[in-house]
Amino acid sequence: MVPEYFIFLRFYSYISSQFLLLPLSKRICSQMKATFECQNNSLLASWTLSHSHENVFTPWSDETYDAYRDWYGIICDNGWVNRVNITKSNVNGTLYDFPFSSLPFLEYVDLKIGKLVNLVEAYLGTNHRLYYTEIGNLVNAKLFYAFSNELSGPIPAEIGKMKSLENLSFQTNNLSGPIPKTIGELTELKLLHLYTNQLSGPIPSELGNLKNLSDLQLSSNQLPGPIPASFGNLKNLQVLYLRENKLFGSLPKELAYLDNLVVMEMDENQFSGHLPEHLCQGGKLESFKVNSNKLTGPIPRSFSKCSSLKRVRFDNNNFTGNLSEAFGIYPELQFINLSDNDFHGELSSNWGKCKNLTNLQVARNNISGSIPPEIGKVNRLE
């Protein structure tokens, strides 16, 4: 069975006209239906043209007002197609002919499609007219979700025209090429999910212009190069996922300016050098992972006071320093892995005060001394 995926798009647009485009829209809807598999779908059997609606432009009339009354999943507002919802129709297709241009008052599209493919080529492809007539004109679009499909090809630079976007989600596809610099022009953006694709090229510094961004996830791609210092401008950022890429270089000191960070995961890259001082100075960091890199030097002193930590991974690096001095007391800490580094010293009795700790790993270091009896009081250790 083909897995069902969900695509949700919501946009607000206005195009003035003295004529209704309903007949043309019905024709294009029929063309869209023709691209679907399962042509015998009973729910979409109502998507048919009648001889009374063959003209392209039809002035206002009671007839056109209810032109879509019997069409499954089509809802009109004052004679214009306002909503399309076919989540229960169980169709597969490409959506090459989705009629954005002919539905100027469309506010809501809700589709549950078994296999959505080639959407980027159909609507974002640089050689396809639909891109310029559709995406470029969606200047009031707020949400664009096209995740968990089989989309391929690059993300075109023209996506930067969608100035009102707040959420942009293309994760879990087969997109390739660089991240467009023009995404940095989407200054209303709060969420940007591009993870689990084949994106390449360095992270554009223009992403630092997204000062409203709170959730940035670029993991599981082929991105090389350093983290731009401009990321220090993302003062509202709460979630930062850069894991499983080909990123290298030192972590910029500007990351310590992100006082609202709750999650920072950059594991499985090729970062080198020291961790920036003053990380976690905002006191909100809960998940911090830099395992499987080439990082060196001591753990910043700020971490000893970062009481908000819940999950931490420093393993598989070249960190140094006295283990008994580098870490403090973490009342919320559940998991910490310090294995495969060059830590020395003794295990601190402070670990016994981390009452929620379930997993403490310090294997393959230079630890000496005895095991503090206080660790035996952490009754949640697994």
Side-chain angles (χ1 to χ4, degrees):
M1 176 180 293
V2 177
E4 288 190 331
Y5 299 118
F6 173 71
I7 174 172
F8 171 81
L9 303 89
R10 182 177 178 86
F11 19 83
Y12 301 86
S13 59
Y14 179 81
I15 300 177
S16 61
S17 175
Q18 296 178 347
F19 299 100
L20 293 176
L21 296 173
L22 286 172
L24 175 61
S25 300
K26 295 190 75 171
R27 181 171 298 154
I28 298 181
C29 281
S30 296
Q31 293 172 358
M32 179 177 69
K33 175 187 172 184
T35 70
F36 293 154
E37 298 176 17
C38 310
Q39 286 299 303
N40 295 324
N41 188 292
S42 59
L43 292 176
L44 297 186
S46 57
W47 288 32
T48 59
L49 293 173
S50 64
H51 293 295
S52 61
H53 298 124
E54 289 182 348
N55 295 326
V56 173
F57 296 104
T58 303
W60 180 273
S61 69
D62 292 339
E63 181 181 13
T64 56
Y65 184 91
D66 288 332
Y68 286 94
R69 180 177 56 189
D70 298 325
W71 281 44
Y72 168 77
I74 303 293
I75 297 175
C76 290
D77 182 15
N78 293 325
W80 298 89
V81 176
N82 180 257
R83 298 169 67 91
V84 178
N85 186 340
I86 57 172
T87 58
K88 297 181 180 180
S89 62
N90 192 32
V91 297
N92 303 326
T94 64
L95 294 186
Y96 268 111
D97 294 301
F98 195 85
F100 288 116
S101 290
S102 299
L103 304 176
F105 286 91
L106 188 66
E107 290 187 359
Y108 181 97
V109 179
D110 198 343
L111 313 172
K112 195 171 186 179
I113 295 178
K115 189 177 182 181
L116 174 62
V117 297
N118 294 328
L119 180 65
V120 170
E121 293 181 7
Y123 299 126
L124 305 182
T126 56
N127 294 320
H128 200 292
R129 184 176 60 85
L130 279 177
Y131 172 72
Y132 299 102
T133 60
E134 313 296 346
I135 297 301
N137 290 334
L138 295 176
V139 294
N140 293 315
K142 292 185 179 295
L143 309 179
F144 195 102
Y145 292 167
F147 54 84
S148 298
N149 283 289
E150 298 180 9
L151 312 183
S152 60
I155 302 173
E158 287 79 6
I159 200 167
K161 296 179 181 179
M162 302 172 72
K163 302 295 186 182
S164 296
L165 270 184
E166 295 180 1
N167 289 6
L168 176 59
S169 178
F170 279 134
Q171 76 266 21
T172 316
N173 281 288
N174 296 307
L175 299 174
S176 58
I179 298 173
K181 295 180 180 180
T182 53
I183 288 182
E185 300 175 13
L186 305 178
T187 54
E188 299 299 318
L189 211 59
K190 299 177 181 178
L191 178 148
L192 177 59
H193 285 182
L194 302 178
Y195 62 87
T196 315
N197 280 288
Q198 300 295 321
L199 297 173
S200 57
I203 299 174
S205 61
E206 287 79 2
L207 294 188
N209 297 330
L210 305 178
K211 296 183 178 180
N212 288 311
L213 200 63
S214 63
D215 189 340
L216 174 59
Q217 301 191 32
L218 307 178
S219 298
S220 302
N221 280 290
Q222 304 293 322
L223 303 174
I227 298 175
S230 62
F231 272 29
N233 298 326
L234 305 178
K235 303 298 185 181
N236 291 307
L237 199 62
Q238 299 177 26
V239 176
L240 176 60
Y241 282 100
L242 300 176
R243 59 192 312 268
E244 295 180 355
N245 276 290
K246 297 181 178 181
L247 299 169
F248 57 82
S250 299
L251 299 179
K253 62 181 181 180
E254 288 80 4
L255 291 179
Y257 304 158
L258 306 180
D259 294 343
N260 290 306
L261 268 183
V262 177
V263 176
M264 182 189 294
E265 299 192 3
M266 298 173 287
D267 48 296
E268 299 190 44
N269 282 286
Q270 301 174 37
F271 292 121
S272 58
H274 293 193
L275 290 177
E277 292 291 338
H278 310 300
L279 279 172
C280 194
Q281 65 180 4
K284 299 178 181 179
L285 193 61
E286 296 181 2
S287 180
F288 183 81
K289 299 179 182 179
V290 290
N291 53 290
S292 302
N293 280 286
K294 300 176 181 179
L295 295 165
T296 60
I299 303 301
R301 293 181 180 180
S302 56
F303 264 87
S304 64
K305 301 177 181 180
C306 192
S307 59
S308 57
L309 288 172
K310 293 182 179 180
R311 297 186 66 83
V312 180
R313 292 195 64 174
F314 290 102
D315 49 299
N316 289 296
N317 280 287
N318 296 299
F319 288 118
T320 59
N322 192 322
L323 190 65
S324 61
E325 299 174 355
F327 297 93
I329 300 171
Y330 309 102
E332 304 297 328
L333 189 65
Q334 301 169 11
F335 179 102
I336 185 166
N337 191 340
L338 308 173
S339 300
D340 296 287
N341 283 289
D342 292 317
F343 292 118
H344 66 274
E346 299 183 357
L347 291 176
S348 171
S349 60
N350 282 337
W351 293 117
K353 299 177 182 179
C354 301
K355 299 301 183 181
N356 289 312
L357 194 60
T358 62
N359 197 309
L360 170 62
Q361 300 187 35
V362 294
R364 292 174 294 280
N365 280 284
N366 297 307
I367 309 301
S368 59
S370 59
I371 298 176
E374 287 83 358
I375 292 182
K377 298 178 182 180
V378 184
N379 55 21
R380 294 189 180 184
L381 275 177
E382 297 174 356

